Amino acid sequence: MIVVDAHQHYWQPARGDYGWLAQAPAALQRSFLPADLRLQREAAGVQFSVLVQAAPSEAETRYLFGLARQDPAVVGVVGWVDLEAADACARIESLKRDGDGLLCGLRPMVQDVVDPDWLSRAALDRAFDCMQDLELAFDALVTPLQLPALCRRLARHPQLHSVLDHAGKPPIAHGDDGQWLEWIDELAQQPQLHCKLSGLLTLLDPGMHEDAIGPCVKHLFDRFGASRLLWGSDWPVLTTHADYSHWLRLAQTLTQRYAPGRQADVFGANAMRFYALDASILS
């Protein structure tokens, strides 16, 4: 079985555009580069990955292109563009050219925006139109408060290939997931929306058992089905709660429980199809 990690990061804090790292756990405030992941990925049996932006700058996206060219396991890059810029379309087109086939999607860091309705602003329409026209995926990095705005955005762009990062960050640790459940039910009715089975362990408070993510995972399978779920490691953020192989094994166990026989889809085929990755790597 070909395994594709649909969500991993590299970063180099010395570059200076990772503002969020100042509030991150100390263990994450260092560089994480291809050499740090290669052996872990190989040991886990993961052949390929999608590299996702971690800084709100086009310069970082171009930096990721360079790292991807050094790391043969990386088959796609999800980058960042200022979607509010007057020339957002030209910026997107420029990034796609510079990526030379690597750029497969864009991810505004919506979770860090104060206005919960930002994603539904009309000022972003042209940028999303451009993403849709260029067949670039939209990674939705949101919290439950921003799920209503995401629903409105997707309604305006019914052909946009979209994926919910980290399942929309359900409040697993706090037990007040009613709002998240309602919006997941609503969003899952939009067939172009996929969801990443990623980032769930890091939502647990210290001392919580990993079994606490089970009901959330079951709900995702119930609503999205195995054909719209993509496994991702969220490495190196993952390292604050588990190692790479452990999360992969746990996700495989949960997939076998809730969607028996669908491992190949969740752990590889769905990511290949969603991000329109080079199918020749499967041969």
Side-chain angles (χ1 to χ4, degrees):
M1 181 177 74
I2 296 294
V3 180
V4 179
D5 181 346
H7 196 107
Q8 59 118 137
H9 305 285
Y10 293 136
W11 59 67
Q12 173 51 272
R15 295 187 55 262
D17 51 3
Y18 306 94
W20 63 274
L21 270 178
Q23 286 75 49
L28 298 179
Q29 296 178 22
R30 66 171 183 86
S31 63
F32 288 89
L33 298 170
D36 299 303
L37 179 59
R38 180 174 58 84
L39 293 179
Q40 296 179 61
R41 189 166 51 202
E42 291 176 357
V46 176
Q47 292 90 348
F48 303 104
S49 70
V50 174
L51 183 55
V52 179
Q53 65 81 227
S57 75
E58 293 165 35
E60 194 238 7
T61 300
R62 291 185 167 87
Y63 172 69
L64 295 181
F65 290 157
L67 292 180
R69 292 179 181 115
Q70 299 171 28
D71 183 352
V74 173
V75 290
V77 171
V78 175
W80 183 95
V81 166
D82 181 359
L83 300 185
E84 291 185 288
D87 61 344
C89 286
R91 293 173 182 235
I92 294 170
E93 290 168 352
S94 176
L95 267 189
K96 187 168 183 179
R97 285 193 303 270
D98 292 351
D100 193 23
L102 282 169
L103 188 69
C104 60
L106 293 172
R107 184 176 84 148
M109 300 180 81
V110 184
Q111 68 174 10
D112 298 329
V113 178
V114 174
D115 179 7
D117 294 320
W118 178 84
L119 196 52
S120 63
R121 290 182 183 177
L124 304 181
D125 286 356
R126 290 177 62 190
F128 277 100
D129 286 341
C130 186
M131 290 171 61
Q132 185 170 282
D133 291 344
L134 293 174
E135 299 183 332
L136 293 173
F138 164 49
D139 267 55
L141 177 62
V142 296
T143 68
L145 288 176
Q146 295 153 332
L147 292 178
L150 173 62
C151 197
R152 294 193 293 273
R153 170 57 59 192
L154 297 183
R156 294 216 291 273
H157 295 273
Q159 304 305 315
L160 182 68
H161 293 289
S162 308
V163 63
L164 188 60
D165 283 1
H166 315 321
K169 297 202 165 182
I172 299 172
H174 306 107
D176 53 351
D177 60 359
Q179 183 185 52
W180 175 82
L181 289 168
E182 290 179 9
W183 281 107
I184 288 296
D185 292 352
E186 179 77 17
L187 285 161
Q189 294 179 39
Q190 307 206 35
Q192 83 278 27
L193 180 64
H194 290 58
C195 181
K196 288 188 181 177
L197 186 59
S198 64
L200 298 179
L201 288 182
T202 54
L203 298 175
L204 300 179
D205 281 345
M208 290 186 69
H209 195 276
E210 61 189 24
D211 287 350
I213 73 171
C216 167
V217 173
K218 181 181 186 302
H219 195 74
L220 295 175
F221 275 103
D222 287 345
R223 295 298 179 266
F224 286 95
S227 62
R228 288 194 287 155
L229 288 176
L230 294 66
W231 174 77
S233 68
D234 197 25
W235 184 94
V237 182
L238 169 70
T239 62
T240 62
H241 285 68
D243 65 35
Y244 195 91
S245 291
H246 179 78
W247 166 233
L248 175 59
R249 291 193 303 270
L250 176 59
Q252 289 172 332
T253 297
L254 291 168
T255 299
Q256 182 59 28
R257 180 182 305 165
Y258 300 122
R262 301 298 299 277
Q263 302 269 6
D265 295 316
V266 175
F267 294 91
N270 292 346
M272 296 294 297
R273 183 182 67 255
F274 176 78
Y275 284 118
L277 303 175
D278 185 359
S280 67
I281 69 173
L282 295 176
S283 59

